[in-house]
């Protein structure tokens, strides 16, 4: 495998790299911002790319936010972006459920284990759902619940799919209900299965962790839509009609972002060192996931 | 591997089988009872074994109950048993923490992710703990918690161990705190890691599921004490000074109970068909875990 090219400060190298692509898929957290802190000169960098006619797509695994929520975050930080440029794992899952699985009504309800981002995207695609942010499920399990879950009286017979995502309100009751639906044959999907969530300069349980109670009980891995799942790449390609060889994935995580680009046979990948992965991770002898190029920070693309 | 012997109705076979053992390790749920329903003639069966001079040990993975709680359950169902005959995963973990790990005070606090059974057993062994049933942690995570967990202000600097067990009150806050302790170097233990819990004639998330958020986020498996972990067998042997070749494990689950006895090189194992595993599971060609013998119900040992 060839060594990744270090582009920071290499004006000619940057120009040559950018010329190879028409589309840039951007990971957001760790590339454009960290939590609520935007990195330096992000708007200028995106503006430069747009001025060169590049198409930008913001690809995020965070299922708690809908594309509309994400647009608000961009606005708040002063980063120009359109809703249609955002591609999140909740949207990806909703599109898959509505257009690919497309269960016949009324047996097409989704039991949501996650936050409102998932609900909004299902709603936008016209998919009926229960669970999610329903306050009735944000409580402790009671002794009678075990019987009522087991005998089905607490279940909706029209649920055909369980969709799990990052859930800050995860609890035993929802896991038990989700598990019961899966035992009864519901399809088991996840927006994404990231094990951790970078927050406040540390790590917190990610969507794969908050949904792990169901995954462990069910003894099977859900079909998931976040990076590096190629279900998400296929959905992005379908929506944006991109030419993979002229597309570059930019991200901070080797095992999600960069792997996503490599598995998707994109023309290139660019690692940014403002997030999780360190350059030692891909420069090391025998590194599994190696980007085409890397920069210290995204604004280094300004040259 | 030899075929297991079917003992139900075979008086001579039963006598010969029982004669081979001095000690019987009993799984409880699925063997003696299912939930709150005791199987037929359980007291008579245990009485028969005691009258032959057999030592009985009730081995349970359920971490929500202390040995004292278990004694109450036996009393309620009318099954004669002593507290000292009960060996639970919480007790096993507490003994290991107190006597084997034995961290020097004050850095020996345990952060408990589980119910009161764990707390009671830690208390009995003189191990300080926090978390567990503390109502202050039975709440949603708030935005400021992320910062306070990440910077340590919500943490106790004396926590050296995280102990996870079945937690009907699992939530994101406790998982995030436990994960932060593990990231900071706390030892990571689990009472047991059963994926499911048989209840109300169905299956619910077990201790391995309720603790899976932490396991997934941490990316490592905890040292666990429930069957089939041999840490539990070693603890039982230490306490009861049993002769393994004259000891038999009785249980309903092949992958926990019977495997526990086989891995522990016990003289024999007896599968009981009133619980999870079916005879087809071990009679099938190429079955991985095969008991020495089996009965339809534990009372068939009465002949």
């Amino acid at each position: 495998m060839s060594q990744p090219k270090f582009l920071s400060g290499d004006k000619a190298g940057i120009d040559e790299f950018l010329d190879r692509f028409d589309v840039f898929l951007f990971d957001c957290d760790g590339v454009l911002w960290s939590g609520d802190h935007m990195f330096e000169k992000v708007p200028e960098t995106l503006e430069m790319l747009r001025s060169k006619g590049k198409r930008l797509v913001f690809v995020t695994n965070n299922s708690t936010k809908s594309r509309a929520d994400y647009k608000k975050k961009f606005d708040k930080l002063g980063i120009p972006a359109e809703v249609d440029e955002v591609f999140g794992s909740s949207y990806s899952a909703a599109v898959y459920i509505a257009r690919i699985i497309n269960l016949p009504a009324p047996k097409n309800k989704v039991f949501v284990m996650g936050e409102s981002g998932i609900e909004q995207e299902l709603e936008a695609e016209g998919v009926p759902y229960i669970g999610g942010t329903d306050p009735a499920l944000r409580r402790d399990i009671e002794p009678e619940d075990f019987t009522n879950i087991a005998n089905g009286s607490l279940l909706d017979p029209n649920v055909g799919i369980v969709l799990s995502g990052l859930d800050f309100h995860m609890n035993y009751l929802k896991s038990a209900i989700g598990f019961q639906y899966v035992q009864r044959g519901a399809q088991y999907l996840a927006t994404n299965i990231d094990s951790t969530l970078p927050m406040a300069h540390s790590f917190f349980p990610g969507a794969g962790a908050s949904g792990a109670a169901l995954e462990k009980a069910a003894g099977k891995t859900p079909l998931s839509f976040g990076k590096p799942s190629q279900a998400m790449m296929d959905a992005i390609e379908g929506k944006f009609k991109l030419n993979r060889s002229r597309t570059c994935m930019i991200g901070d995580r080797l095992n999600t972002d960069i792997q996503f680009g490599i598995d998707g046979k994109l023309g290139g990948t660019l690692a940014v060192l403002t997030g999780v992965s360190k350059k030692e991770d891909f420069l090391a002898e025998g590194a599994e996931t190696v980007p085409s190029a890397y920069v210290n920070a995204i604004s280094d693309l300004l040259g």
Side-chain angles (χ1 to χ4, degrees), chain A residues 5 28 32 39 53 67 79-80 110 128 163 179 219 234 265 291 302:
Chain A
K5 189 158 184 176
C28 303
L32 306 180
F39 295 130
R67 286 169 303 151
I79 306 176
V110 176
L163 175 60
F179 180 34
D234 294 344
K265 303 200 186 334
L302 290 170

Side-chain angles (χ1 to χ4, degrees), chain A residues 52-226:
Chain A
K52 287 179 183 286
K54 311 298 184 189
R55 166 117 222 191
L56 311 184
V57 180
F58 303 101
V59 182
T60 168
N61 276 12
N62 186 337
S63 66
T64 64
K65 291 188 167 65
S66 65
R67 286 169 303 151
D69 292 333
Y70 251 83
K71 167 74 170 107
K72 280 182 215 148
K73 170 138 194 178
F74 278 86
D75 289 349
K76 194 177 132 199
L77 293 173
I79 306 176
E82 299 304 318
V83 166
D84 262 350
E85 292 178 320
V86 178
F87 208 92
S89 62
S90 287
Y91 176 65
S92 187
V95 166
Y96 186 87
I97 289 169
R99 308 184 195 179
I100 312 291
I101 300 185
N102 193 15
L103 289 178
K107 302 266 182 197
N108 60 341
K109 256 189 209 172
V110 176
F111 180 69
V112 175
M113 298 173 68
E115 303 287 345
S116 75
I118 300 177
E119 297 176 326
Q120 291 174 53
E121 299 293 12
L122 288 173
E123 221 155 276
E125 289 289 321
V127 177
Y129 65 86
I130 57 169
T133 60
D134 184 352
L137 297 181
R138 290 188 173 173
R139 62 172 178 85
D140 291 341
I141 194 163
E142 300 295 338
E144 62 271 23
D145 291 322
F146 288 97
T147 309
N148 294 334
I149 291 170
N151 69 20
S153 63
L154 212 67
L155 305 180
D156 184 325
N158 289 325
V159 166
I161 291 171
V162 172
L163 175 60
S164 164
L166 180 56
D167 189 358
F168 294 124
H169 302 82
M170 66 183 237
N171 63 28
Y172 191 90
L173 178 66
K174 288 194 272 186
S175 302
I177 293 173
F179 180 34
Q180 188 64 225
Y181 282 124
V182 170
Q183 288 176 79
R184 289 165 180 242
Q187 293 189 55
Y188 174 27
L189 311 178
T191 57
N192 62 309
I193 52 172
D194 299 49
S195 58
T196 61
L197 175 74
M199 288 267 284
H201 309 290
S202 185
F203 292 99
F204 286 80
S210 76
L214 172 55
E215 180 173 344
K216 180 75 94 175
K220 58 181 170 189
T221 310
L223 173 63
S224 71
F225 297 90

